[in-house]
Amino acid sequence: HHIVEVKNLRHVYSDGTVALKDASFRITHGESVGIIGANGAGKSTLLLHLNGYLEPTSGNIRIGDIPLSKGTLPDIRRTVGMVFQDPDDQLFMPTVFDDVAFGPFNLGMAVADVEQRVTEVLELVGANHLRDKPPYNLSGGEKKRVAIATVLSMSPDILVMDEPTNGLDPFARRQLMALIRDFKHTRIFTSHDLDMVLELCERVIVLHEGEVWADGPTLEIFNNE
Ligand code: ADP
Ligand code: ADP
């Protein structure tokens, strides 16, 4: 049974740009999938559909047993954790702690449980020493780790990341790669970092001008490019 099904997804932006023409694929629980392709191929647009940040022009998305629609958005967002390319898009509270606690509080979790969860995920991403700092003062790599913590604090079944290693120094990149490798559930991310894709993804989807150009085992795809 597939945890993600994207069927004939088409997205036309309001200015007429056809970002996705007709994309289809399915992802199995636990898979680690890299989405690659040139600038403008439609990668970010595709990710934004996976938890309903964009509405399809046509086509369908199913996450687990839930078809994505307005009515199912809260369920979908609990299942799909999205890390944006720019951490400033998801850090907006006065302190790191507040940002990471925001999701669990929203789920109605008790205060003591929230505090425990926040400490756990901040330790996991190596950012617990930053918990009382305002996120806007952090370095790019630190912000990225906190952004990931805000998503992990919701215990998502699917981790979706847009260019996760973008702008990170080599050490932060290695740390992040270890984190992604250790995440036990489904991982889907876009990247221009082909070494990372090779190391972390058993499968690659190549987008080209809004279409799935190739989809298969990473080594096979890389050897044919
Ligand atoms: P990628 O992530 O592969 O670089 P994107 O999904 O960001 O590709 O963009 C796909 C296409 O859609 C590009 O031609 C881009 O210019 C266009 N696009 C992206 N966002 C918008 C938007 N908000 N309005 C209009 N066109 C957009
Ligand atoms: P239908 O009943 O026509 O099959 P859906 O159940 O798929 O429609 O969606 C119900 C409503 O939610 C529709 O108006 C649809 O346009 C809208 N919708 C679907 N996907 C999204 C989304 N990702 N974000 C916001 N609205 C959406």
Side-chain angles (χ1 to χ4, degrees), residues 96 122-123 125-133 138 142 145:
V96 166
L122 281 176
E123 269 168 11
V125 302
N128 201 25
H129 60 295
L130 305 170
R131 61 194 283 135
D132 298 321
K133 289 203 168 200
L138 305 179
E142 290 171 338
R145 277 184 276 162

Side-chain angles (χ1 to χ4, degrees), residues 13-15 17-19 37-46 85 162 192 207:
Y13 282 107
S14 53
D15 68 353
T17 305
V18 183
N39 291 317
K43 303 182 296 296
S44 297
T45 304
L46 174 60
Q85 186 167 157
D162 198 353
H192 294 295
L207 282 187

Side-chain angles (χ1 to χ4, degrees), residues 122-155:
L122 281 176
E123 269 168 11
L124 190 66
V125 302
N128 201 25
H129 60 295
L130 305 170
R131 61 194 283 135
D132 298 321
K133 289 203 168 200
Y136 55 81
N137 279 347
L138 305 179
S139 76
E142 290 171 338
K143 279 185 188 173
K144 195 70 154 198
R145 277 184 276 162
V146 173
I148 293 166
T150 66
V151 167
L152 293 180
S153 70
M154 306 279 286
S155 307

Side-chain angles (χ1 to χ4, degrees), residues 76-143:
I76 298 285
R77 297 231 169 116
R78 224 167 291 144
T79 308
V80 181
M82 172 90 182
V83 180
F84 293 95
Q85 186 167 157
D86 184 352
D88 287 333
D89 288 345
Q90 60 196 127
L91 303 175
F92 53 89
M93 298 292 276
T95 70
V96 166
F97 177 90
D98 295 329
D99 257 324
V100 180
F102 182 83
F105 270 131
N106 257 353
L107 291 182
M109 206 184 270
V111 176
D113 295 338
V114 172
E115 292 198 346
Q116 191 188 339
R117 172 75 61 85
V118 171
T119 302
E120 273 168 19
V121 295
L122 281 176
E123 269 168 11
L124 190 66
V125 302
N128 201 25
H129 60 295
L130 305 170
R131 61 194 283 135
D132 298 321
K133 289 203 168 200
Y136 55 81
N137 279 347
L138 305 179
S139 76
E142 290 171 338
K143 279 185 188 173

